[in-house]
Amino acid sequence: MADQSGAARTPPGGIDAVLLAPPPALSAEDARSAALTAFGVEAAGARSLGSERDQAFLLTGSSGDGVAVLKVSNPAEDPAMLDAEALAARHAAACDPGLRIALPRRAVAGSGHGAARGAGAAAAGAGEGDMAAYRARWAANGTGHWVRAYDVLPGRARLDPAALADPALIAWGETTARLGRALRGFAHPRAIRRLPWDVQHAPAVRPMLAAIGDRSARAAVTAVLDRFDQAVAPRWPLLRAQVIHGDLTADNVLADQAGAITGIVDFGDMTHSALVADLAAVLDSLCAGRDGTEMFRVARLVLDGYQRVTPLEPLELELLGELWAARAAVGVAFGSWRASAGLEEPAFAGRFRQAALAMIDHLLTAGWDQAARLLGGAPGRAAPGGAGLAARRAAAFGPAMEPLSYDEPVEVASARGVWITDASGRAYLDMYNNVPCVGHAHPRVTEAVARQWRVLNTNLRYLHAGAVELAERLVATCPPGLDTVLFVNSGSEANDLAWRLARCHTGHEGAVCTRSAYHGITEATAAFSPEALPGAPPPHVATWEPPDAYRGLRLGAEGFAAALAALAARGIAPAAAILDGVLLSDGVLVLDPAYVRELARLTRAAGGLWIADEVQGGHGRTGEAMWSFQRFGIEPDIVTLGKPMGNGQPVGAVITRREIAERFARQTVFFSTFGGNQVSVAAAHAVLDVLADERVLPRVRDAGRALRDAVREATAGHDRVGDVRGVGLANGIELVTDRASKSPDPAGAAAAREGLRRRGVLVGTTGPTGNVLKVRPPLAFTSDLVPAFTRALAGALADLPPAAPGRERP
């Protein structure tokens, strides 16, 4: 045996002394006697179950069946710690009765259990009884030990992790999370301890590294500890912490034939630590003996099970690889040291050594960032892909895909509120994206979606209150005649369905839209989206040009009436006219309400329906009302909503009159596989809640007014800025070659867009010639951000090249 002097076994780094004393050495007869005397358990036999620092026996009856388990504690064990373990087990069993947890039996009166009552037991166990009554004192070989007796739980012990099937791995993760949740409210002063298995104390094994004889193994363990000091220790205080079990491993539970845990039998490594440290212990056990690819696959299955119960936070996922490696490294170092100190037989101490070193090697070979990604994390920020990524995009998507925005594309990495951060870490003020209407990554929406994904997501063939309540809330925002809601997945689908409803209801085939409208990408909606059409619209579509107040073209309804007449000349009656209430694709034009009311009247007089496309203008973007059509004083026949409804979650809706839906139903039924699914509905509910709770509409009204006023002031002397117009947070800044000619300047608008991007602001361009800067930020935009925008705009305008010859407005 190695030197067992006091110096050789000095606790490195203050490690709990219980790990430094040799384990008990009771005989089977001692175990039987202790069980009978202390707990009244008669046993015909006692079989050692093995243990690292304690001793455990399965007590059997005359038939050979187990009647109890006797646990003999290490002589250095603090009895208050034993009481804390018992309290934790009882607490967890009470919080989750479905967990099969071994609980201690009460000792026989007079067996000495009160002789050394733990100091912390009474306070920690308030309301849970006197835990000292569940242990007894027993002397063997001249040494006193605390003994405890437990019921026998079903299942097999000492499992082979490599034999566990995938369902068992998932179930193991789920049980780990359930046990962590059951211990969430438990606290005990003795849980603050220094066990090396608790990875927060991994650096404490550095003095043990000399005991690792193999140089390469020692180097690997050192590399893991170095990484822990560098990447984990500074962020350890940010991790969720509580009392954890700490050792739900294949060597320390009972399981059924399928590998599912049937008995949690040992709280000896219970400690207050990071919650995710529980998973590090589980992965260190279950992934042993597997190659790199399989090791990570198994780990992901365990994580899947865990996150069915307790979702992991981003930092936990990011650091899990390091914690897993640290747990394995501690096993190698501590086992080597205990063997060298004579505290364990070398074969027993090193039984997991090779498997642990192999796991460490796989993690080191993968690299910490890649390991985090393989475990579902998103470590740090990836290096920008640049031109190489753009080339891969072109190769993968082909030429039909719309080109990237900006001459120097923005490689996005994250976003929050009205800010988008690129892969290099630069933040951009997002003045363009209307889809995340209440702001990128709004916590109310993201949490609603995440919660619902963990519960249910299916279709409307099943009854679910969420979709019904959402429909009722949407109807409540509309005029009384609009009383029926159909859910889809996008604005394009909503407009496509609206077109089907209009054709069915009227029996007509014609459509009327603005000359630069955009209403979707389906075959039907693309026909009345001339902004994206390469040529003239198909014969069943007629277009009209909205009034251009900037150029003094305050047309009456003649242009619209001419579109209707053009259809009639082709023998086509209108099924519907469709209008985006903020005319974003037409250059953000502001229409007179009386004018729009006349258009709706003409449409209905010709036998068509009026469709209000609220995909871009709805959900409070005008700041005046929930829907842009409301400021015109009209009641549409159909209203369509798109992805802003769910802050970007795929969702859309059609709101219409019951009679229109009834006529449609006489011909067919409508079904969208995931239209109105529970996740999208949860997002849409959250958006409506945010709009109300944050009082978004008045904020939008004030921010929009402040933005237009500031831009007009900042550009008052700039000859290339012809007009600043809009409503709420739907705004356009029209660039011209000069104010005298008012000639559209699309090249100047494109240059200004690029100049704004260089200054950290994102906008788009719009209008028939593309000469209008489209400024439609998320509705999280506030007045205090206006100066940042105007400064960037002023700089971009100052850098404009000389104007090219003017273009006539088509």
Side-chain angles (χ1 to χ4, degrees), residues 206-222 329 331-341 346 350 353-354 357:
R206 280 192 185 273
M208 305 177 185
L209 297 183
I212 304 174
D214 182 87
R215 183 179 299 176
S216 63
R218 187 165 60 248
V221 171
T222 300
V332 174
F334 194 65
S336 300
W337 180 82
R338 280 180 63 85
S340 71
R353 173 190 171 102
Q354 291 307 314
L357 287 170

Side-chain angles (χ1 to χ4, degrees), residues 182-201:
L183 287 170
R184 181 185 293 172
F186 179 76
H188 195 287
R190 296 291 178 166
I192 308 298
R193 58 200 301 212
R194 289 182 67 86
L195 291 176
W197 306 119
D198 177 2
V199 292
Q200 68 176 308
H201 303 303

Side-chain angles (χ1 to χ4, degrees), residues 590-603:
V590 181
L591 301 183
D592 179 78
Y595 173 79
V596 179
R597 288 195 294 271
E598 176 62 10
L599 305 188
R601 186 194 68 78
L602 289 172
T603 299

Side-chain angles (χ1 to χ4, degrees), residues 505-784:
H505 188 75
T506 63
H508 302 162
E509 299 291 333
V512 181
C513 64
T514 58
R515 65 180 300 182
S516 296
Y518 176 79
H519 297 289
I521 63 170
T522 69
E523 184 174 12
T525 58
F528 42 88
S529 298
E531 181 197 46
L533 288 176
H540 72 283
V541 176
T543 64
W544 57 282
E545 183 173 3
D548 182 353
Y550 168 57
R551 290 177 174 78
L553 301 177
R554 298 186 179 276
L555 305 176
E558 294 84 357
F560 188 85
L564 292 173
L567 285 179
R570 302 170 199 151
I572 301 173
I578 184 168
L579 179 67
D580 161 19
V582 290
L583 288 93
L584 275 166
S585 298
D586 289 277
V588 197
L589 301 175
V590 181
L591 301 183
D592 179 78
Y595 173 79
V596 179
R597 288 195 294 271
E598 176 62 10
L599 305 188
R601 186 194 68 78
L602 289 172
T603 299
R604 287 168 175 148
L609 303 182
W610 186 267
I611 300 173
D613 182 343
E614 294 290 334
V615 174
Q616 298 196 77
H619 283 87
R621 181 154 293 275
T622 66
E624 298 177 5
M626 183 69 166
W627 311 117
S628 63
F629 72 77
Q630 289 172 303
R631 51 196 255 277
F632 300 134
I634 62 172
E635 181 175 324
D637 300 293
I638 303 173
V639 177
T640 59
L641 315 179
K643 287 183 285 295
M645 173 181 172
N647 215 46
Q649 174 71 21
V651 63
V654 172
I655 311 172
T656 189
R657 301 198 311 270
R658 179 57 50 91
E659 65 183 88
I660 294 174
E662 286 175 343
R663 182 167 296 184
F664 186 76
R666 288 197 288 269
Q667 293 187 9
T668 185
V669 294
F670 174 74
F671 177 73
S672 169
T673 303
F674 261 57
N677 70 78
Q678 287 80 14
V679 169
S680 293
V681 163
H685 274 296
V687 167
L688 292 178
D689 292 342
V690 171
L691 291 174
D693 292 346
E694 294 186 6
R695 298 174 179 170
V696 170
L697 268 67
R699 185 177 74 200
V700 166
R701 181 191 60 229
D702 294 344
R705 183 181 299 126
L707 176 65
R708 288 186 295 278
D709 289 347
V711 171
R712 286 172 182 140
E713 181 179 353
T715 62
H718 204 292
D719 198 43
R720 304 281 288 280
V721 178
D723 193 26
V724 178
R725 55 181 178 260
V727 56
L729 288 177
N731 293 283
I733 303 171
E734 181 161 355
L735 269 69
V736 292
T737 57
D738 59 275
R739 288 183 173 177
S741 70
K742 298 183 179 180
S743 297
D745 186 6
R753 180 190 63 197
E754 297 294 335
L756 282 163
R757 186 207 59 76
R758 289 193 296 273
R759 291 165 175 79
V761 176
L762 305 180
V763 299
T765 53
T766 187
T769 66
N771 70 308
V772 179
L773 297 179
K774 181 162 51 177
V775 184
R776 53 166 193 192
L779 303 186
F781 181 85
T782 53
S783 299
D784 61 306

Side-chain angles (χ1 to χ4, degrees), residues 465-475 487 645 680-681 684-685 688:
V468 176
E469 291 167 0
L470 178 59
E472 291 168 343
R473 293 181 75 179
L474 291 174
V475 164
F487 289 116
M645 173 181 172
S680 293
V681 163
H685 274 296
L688 292 178

